[in-house]
Amino acid sequence: MSNVVRRTVRGACRSCKLGFTNQCLSKRGDMGFTKDGGYGPYMVVNETIFFPVDHELPLSEATMLLDIMGTGGHAIKRGLLVHPDIQSILVAGAGPIGLGVLAMAKILLGESIPVYVMDMIPYRLELVKKLGGIAIDLTENSLDEFLQANGAQGIDLAKPGFCRV
């Protein structure tokens, strides 16, 4: 087994109990963020901030479990706290985080929830389609034009912010 660094929260503080683990008051530490040493040649870390992954999984892909998929999943779960009956999502940008939000939306909310993803780069828009999202090419349409032309009734959750449109 290989190991990948992860954030470790204790789950006991008020923020954790409300689902806001990014605001945990008793984190053991995020190496390179709240704890020094993220770019150092050596550092001492508590072994509890690692989780095992199979040697077959490249570390670059294992990192996606935390950085990309974790961020997307966390955003959706936070959105559900604000709006528990999400019927559609808008993602601004089809970069790694935007695609992670799309993937996690399909996993957490189901394939039937429309996830609109805006971008201007053709290969990214193709990835959106492959992942089951609805690509909005901003070089061809404005957001309003696209939503009106496609009969969208509004957006329940927008990444990075959460708002009712």
Side-chain angles (χ1 to χ4, degrees):
M1 289 284 177
S2 300
N3 289 316
V4 177
V5 177
R6 72 174 174 134
R7 295 179 198 197
T8 302
V9 297
R10 297 177 190 212
C13 75
R14 179 177 181 263
S15 295
C16 286
K17 288 178 183 176
L18 291 171
F20 303 120
T21 55
N22 64 317
Q23 299 171 15
C24 177
L25 300 174
S26 59
K27 281 184 186 177
R28 291 192 182 118
D30 293 338
M31 299 310 295
F33 294 99
T34 61
K35 298 273 189 194
D36 288 339
Y39 291 107
Y42 301 100
M43 61 185 143
V44 177
V45 297
N46 187 313
E47 66 185 20
T48 62
I49 70 167
F50 293 95
F51 73 92
V53 295
D54 193 279
H55 285 294
E56 300 293 318
L57 184 65
L59 290 178
S60 59
E61 291 179 23
T63 301
M64 285 190 344
L65 296 172
L66 297 173
D67 289 346
I68 297 170
M69 305 300 278
T71 299
H74 186 75
I76 291 165
K77 288 180 180 179
R78 290 284 303 272
L80 286 166
L81 292 171
V82 176
H83 188 25
D85 185 30
I86 295 172
Q87 297 298 309
S88 60
I89 295 179
L90 173 66
V91 180
I97 297 296
L99 294 173
V101 171
L102 167 58
M104 291 306 293
K106 295 299 182 178
I107 291 168
L108 295 173
L109 302 175
E111 290 291 323
S112 64
I113 299 294
V115 180
Y116 301 93
V117 183
M118 304 181 293
D119 210 293
M120 298 169 57
I121 301 172
Y123 82 87
R124 287 184 173 186
L125 293 167
E126 286 303 314
L127 286 171
V128 168
K129 294 174 189 173
K130 287 180 182 179
L131 291 172
I134 301 165
I136 302 174
D137 187 342
L138 294 175
T139 64
E140 296 177 4
N141 301 291
S142 71
L143 174 60
D144 286 338
E145 291 168 345
F146 183 90
L147 294 176
Q148 287 175 2
N150 290 280
Q153 300 298 314
I155 302 296
D156 291 324
L157 182 66
K159 181 265 172 197
F162 306 115
C163 61
R164 182 90 170 138
V165 178

